[in-house]
Amino acid sequence: MIIAIAFISGCQFDKEAGTEPSLNDANAPHSPSPENNITGVSTVVALKWQAEAAVRYDLYFGESYPPNIIYADSLSEPSYLLTNLKPSTTYYWQVIAYFKDGSKIAGPIWSFTTTAAGQNTAAGYVLKLYKIETAEPSEVRILLQALDLAGNGVTDLQPSDFEVFEDGEPLSPSESQLSVIKKEGINYKLRTVLLLDNSTSLKDNIDEVRSAASEFISNKYPEQEIAVLQFSEQTEALANYTSDADSLLRSIQRYQTGYSSTDLYGAVIEGASLLKDVFTADSVIQSFMILFTDGRDTQGSHSLTEAVNSVYNKIVFAVGLGQEIQPAVLNSIGTAGYYPISRVSELNSKFEQIKSEVDKFANSFYLISYKSPKRGDKIHTLMVRIKNNSYNGDGSFVLGTFNSRGFYSK
């Protein structure tokens, strides 16, 4: 059986946020945390709100006003943890509350501004919950991720570092047969979009870029699937997702000089559409994109706002070459970092650096499994935290529920 909890389903563009509610609409989402228009907010923060009688929520979130994409939908709780936000950035958010009769009410548009770079220096860990599942005879499984306060994956936690509580009472690790499984035991699949600029400004460096991409493919993980796209005037798929290294290497040979017009924003949007994540206790599909470009968007077919909106809630590494790039633009698109290089020969080392960051992120997933002593058709609260965590703010523990219906001893 599966217990539903707040779950990321990815950005969507087929829904529109609601309008501002009436001031006397008592059922509208209200009482936001962080407070509206507040500054100095941590880059790790839990959004919270109240909406009496609501049964689920959609969250719109982003840097544009109004926020026009769904960051998370069908949330069962009036809260959502955000990690790895950018410093000194104003974010806007809006909650749509849904009710039993099928109606919905949009809350006001709220905003907050994050603290300046370097000021969020506290140590400690953040836990991000992805899934709670149960299985007979009495197994409870919790898929979560451990991050530091800068949003980097934490890979070295041991089973003895975790504490599990049922209905507020600590669980005995020995009696419950508690175990903690890392990535290797979760059926983890890594998907990568390699998005390569091939505009005419790169005509003298095509061979070096091709060589660096080939090296990246040759050193990929066995379970890693890669899709390769090139872009200038338009975006062209050289390879769909595959783990076949020989096939990918052949596709890289088709990477050739394109045209002078560069649809950078359109390429980002198309590449981001391939980034789909799936999280269950049995399987994790995690996707990310590496963008390489030596210039800026010259075509004007899409806006920067559209490109940035397309990568919210997704992992994108942006590598920029030379003097014609716009660092602020690549910082906005590179949700996982912007990596400037001055020569194409540096591309290999940047790919290796990104591979190391991805490996750290992948190994920060933990699957906690144990045998519950609870019985009967009852809902129980579940909390997991890290022992001796020096951080006790938003996200320092995960909280969920499960039903012990059908549990029995074996």
Side-chain angles (χ1 to χ4, degrees):
M1 68 189 85
I2 298 177
I3 302 347
I5 60 169
F7 181 65
I8 302 173
S9 65
C11 299
Q12 301 180 27
F13 294 87
D14 57 349
K15 299 183 182 180
E16 295 184 358
T19 56
E20 294 276 352
S22 161
L23 292 177
N24 60 3
D25 196 335
N27 290 320
H30 59 91
S31 304
S33 176
E35 295 178 13
N36 190 31
N37 294 324
I38 196 170
T39 60
V41 174
S42 170
T43 52
V44 174
V45 62
L47 303 182
K48 301 176 184 178
W49 60 90
Q50 296 179 31
E52 288 74 11
V55 294
R56 64 181 178 89
Y57 313 92
D58 287 346
L59 170 65
Y60 288 78
F61 179 80
E63 295 177 48
S64 60
Y65 181 93
N68 57 4
I69 60 170
I70 295 182
Y71 198 80
D73 63 0
S74 298
L75 299 174
S76 59
E77 299 294 332
S79 64
Y80 189 82
L81 178 67
L82 297 167
T83 60
N84 203 26
L85 298 178
K86 292 183 288 187
S88 301
T89 302
T90 297
Y91 291 99
Y92 300 91
W93 59 295
Q94 183 180 33
V95 174
I96 314 300
Y98 293 81
F99 301 88
K100 287 183 178 180
D101 62 2
S103 63
K104 65 179 181 180
I105 298 177
I109 295 174
W110 299 309
S111 71
F112 65 87
T113 301
T114 52
T115 187
Q119 294 185 8
N120 189 35
T121 57
Y125 304 105
V126 171
L127 294 179
K128 194 168 185 177
L129 179 64
Y130 285 95
K131 202 75 171 179
I132 297 175
E133 295 182 357
T134 62
E136 295 182 351
S138 61
E139 185 179 17
V140 179
R141 295 181 292 179
I142 310 127
L143 178 68
L144 53 78
Q145 186 181 26
L147 306 166
D148 63 23
L149 297 191
N152 302 309
V154 176
T155 65
D156 57 354
L157 295 176
Q158 305 301 315
S160 58
D161 292 320
F162 291 93
E163 291 181 303
V164 180
F165 296 80
E166 284 188 345
D167 297 334
E169 297 295 326
L171 202 67
S172 167
S174 58
E175 291 182 5
S176 64
Q177 302 176 42
L178 186 143
S179 66
V180 178
I181 302 169
K182 295 294 292 297
K183 182 190 75 171
E184 291 74 13
I186 302 178
N187 187 25
Y188 185 95
K189 181 181 290 185
L190 193 62
R191 285 183 171 169
T192 307
V193 173
L194 201 55
L195 183 61
L196 304 174
D197 190 338
N198 72 330
S199 56
T200 53
S201 56
L202 278 164
K203 63 184 179 187
D204 295 331
N205 303 115
I206 287 292
D207 289 342
E208 284 187 275
V209 176
R210 189 188 301 116
S211 176
S214 297
E215 186 75 12
F216 178 81
I217 290 168
S218 297
N219 293 326
K220 76 177 189 66
Y221 299 107
E223 71 275 14
Q224 186 175 6
E225 296 181 348
I226 298 177
V228 183
L229 287 73
Q230 66 179 9
F231 69 94
S232 55
E233 186 172 78
Q234 59 187 12
T235 304
E236 178 186 0
L238 301 180
N240 295 321
Y241 279 128
T242 179
S243 59
D244 186 335
D246 290 336
S247 174
L248 288 165
L249 290 172
R250 287 193 298 270
S251 75
I252 287 295
Q253 296 308 308
R254 294 167 48 214
Y255 171 69
Q256 302 289 343
T257 306
Y259 301 92
S260 58
S261 178
T262 305
D263 185 17
L264 171 61
Y265 300 152
V268 169
I269 293 168
E270 188 162 339
S273 70
L274 301 177
L275 304 180
K276 307 292 185 183
D277 297 335
V278 176
F279 301 99
T280 73
D282 295 317
S283 176
V284 172
I285 300 176
Q286 182 77 60
S287 57
F288 72 98
M289 181 163 68
I290 300 176
L291 162 68
F292 167 69
T293 183
D294 77 332
R296 60 187 68 191
D297 188 286
T298 61
Q299 191 173 115
S301 297
H302 301 83
S303 68
L304 174 60
T305 297
E306 290 176 301
V308 170
N309 284 347
S310 75
V311 298
Y312 271 122
N313 212 12
K314 300 180 181 181
I315 304 171
V316 179
F317 298 88
V319 181
L321 166 68
Q323 302 300 315
E324 294 187 13
I325 57 174
Q326 296 173 297
V329 168
L330 295 183
N331 260 315
S332 297
I333 293 172
T335 59
Y338 160 54
Y339 298 77
I341 59 176
S342 56
R343 296 180 300 276
V344 177
S345 58
E346 300 173 33
L347 193 54
N348 261 330
S349 63
K350 290 302 177 185
F351 279 171
E352 280 300 310
Q353 185 179 348
I354 290 170
K355 185 173 180 288
S356 176
E357 292 298 319
V358 169
D359 185 64
K360 185 186 297 184
F361 190 85
N363 281 288
S364 63
F365 284 88
Y366 298 83
L367 177 62
I368 298 176
S369 177
Y370 69 90
K371 306 294 184 184
S372 174
K374 298 296 187 286
R375 298 293 183 268
D377 186 4
K378 296 181 179 179
I379 300 294
H380 304 278
T381 60
L382 178 66
M383 184 179 76
V384 181
R385 69 184 184 192
I386 297 174
K387 296 177 183 176
N388 303 315
N389 190 353
S390 58
Y391 173 71
N392 59 7
D394 292 333
S396 58
F397 61 89
V398 296
L399 188 66
T401 62
F402 70 93
N403 193 320
S404 58
R405 180 176 57 249
F407 279 14
Y408 62 93
S409 300
K410 184 177 180 180

